[in-house]
Amino acid sequence: MSARHILVIGTGSAGKRHGSNLASLGCEISYMDPRQDRLDEVSDASYVKGTYTSLDTAFDKINNLDGVVVASPPVFHVDQAIKALDEGLPVLLEKPVSPNEKSARRLQAAVASSNTPLLLGYTWRWWQPLGQVKELLDQNEIGNLRSVQFVMSAHLADWHPWESYREFFMASKELGGGALLDESHWIDLMLWLLGTPKSVYASIDKISDLDIDTDDNVDLVIHYEDGLVVTMHLDLYGRPHQKYIRFIGEDGTIFWTADPNRVMVSHDMEGNWKETSYDCERNDMFLAAAKEFVSILEGEPEKTCHIGDGLKVLAFIEAARESNNNKSVFAIN
């Protein structure tokens, strides 16, 4: 079998990572980006077959494409993914699906009508420690859950130290940046691990000195039908960086942290913890997503994250926005 040929749309950090990972799995890569300077940065890689500044040109000139990765700013996701689906090409789509639920539903309809698979890149679903957490919760390890806290705090200027954060799409509301949308990883994890809640109360603000025009602070209070209360804090100004989830149940606590990379479980008041440490690296979850995408190109269905999951995230985001705008609790249907 000849090497799979993948077109990667976008040559920012995500696009470069996806291209490199897919190349390590034996794929040939072409890139599309409207910025020639960014294409110049990737053109010398041995696995790069071509570079293009227009998506239409790429589709016209490449006659042996097998799949497309969409790793552009979120505002472009839907239109670019639909063009790929119209060509009958499976898509690996970076999260979020879109800046809003309405446009994401257009993509959902295109996936259904084209009968072409789309894998969604909420990559923390492929993170081994969080897989262990899901197993523990499914096994009722700490009894009925009563409280869960999600925290993601990381200064935007530290994300891409090789460029000004002001040039990063995360700084732009128009391009689909901001804490609520880009850090919707944590909303996806909540829905994946806990299911759909009944209501949300949201505060979504720009409060820091960052030179951006989008939100950099999100605080959510979320209620479930069974009495579970979830709090979620997302910010783009915190130092040191923190990523953790604490699950408190009737029979104990599960505590996951990204740094140090571990899962801890305790069942007693003294705080005797059973700790599992991991040596997996950040790229491992992206590589696992790439492996699943290659399996899709070989005829397997998407398993880990699909367009319906992305719609659930955006429906929750819309509810949070309504809550913030009206300063009230918003019921989720």
Side-chain angles (χ1 to χ4, degrees), residues 170-290:
M170 277 288 292
S172 169
K173 182 177 181 180
E174 180 182 4
L175 292 178
L180 182 64
L181 265 178
D182 194 76
E183 290 312 306
S184 59
H185 275 296
W186 311 100
I187 295 170
D188 175 68
L189 286 175
M190 178 188 73
L191 299 174
W192 182 53
L193 295 169
L194 306 175
T196 302
K198 71 173 183 178
S199 68
V200 59
Y201 182 81
S203 173
I204 306 165
D205 296 300
K206 163 64 170 67
I207 67 172
S208 79
D209 293 332
L210 285 165
D211 185 17
I212 63 178
D213 68 3
T214 190
D215 58 276
D216 60 14
N217 189 90
V218 176
D219 285 294
L220 308 174
V221 180
I222 303 147
H223 287 263
Y224 280 75
E225 291 288 353
D226 58 3
L228 169 64
V229 179
V230 175
T231 60
M232 184 176 297
H233 173 80
L234 312 172
D235 77 59
L236 302 182
Y237 52 78
R239 288 180 173 130
H241 295 189
Q242 296 185 77
K243 298 181 181 72
Y244 67 81
I245 313 172
R246 187 190 306 271
F247 304 83
I248 303 173
E250 294 279 3
D251 301 326
T253 294
I254 299 170
F255 189 32
W256 167 78
T257 61
D259 186 15
N261 187 8
R262 67 187 181 190
V263 175
M264 301 169 62
V265 181
S266 180
H267 296 96
D268 59 54
M269 62 178 285
E270 291 83 10
N272 295 306
W273 295 93
K274 178 182 178 182
E275 179 177 324
T276 305
S277 295
Y278 293 84
D279 59 5
C280 45
E281 299 179 353
R282 185 168 182 266
N283 190 56
D284 290 347
M285 57 185 171
F286 294 93
L287 184 58

Side-chain angles (χ1 to χ4, degrees), residues 103-116:
S103 63
R105 290 200 177 279
R106 281 203 300 122
L107 180 54
Q108 184 183 43
V111 171
S113 63
S114 68
N115 197 31
T116 303

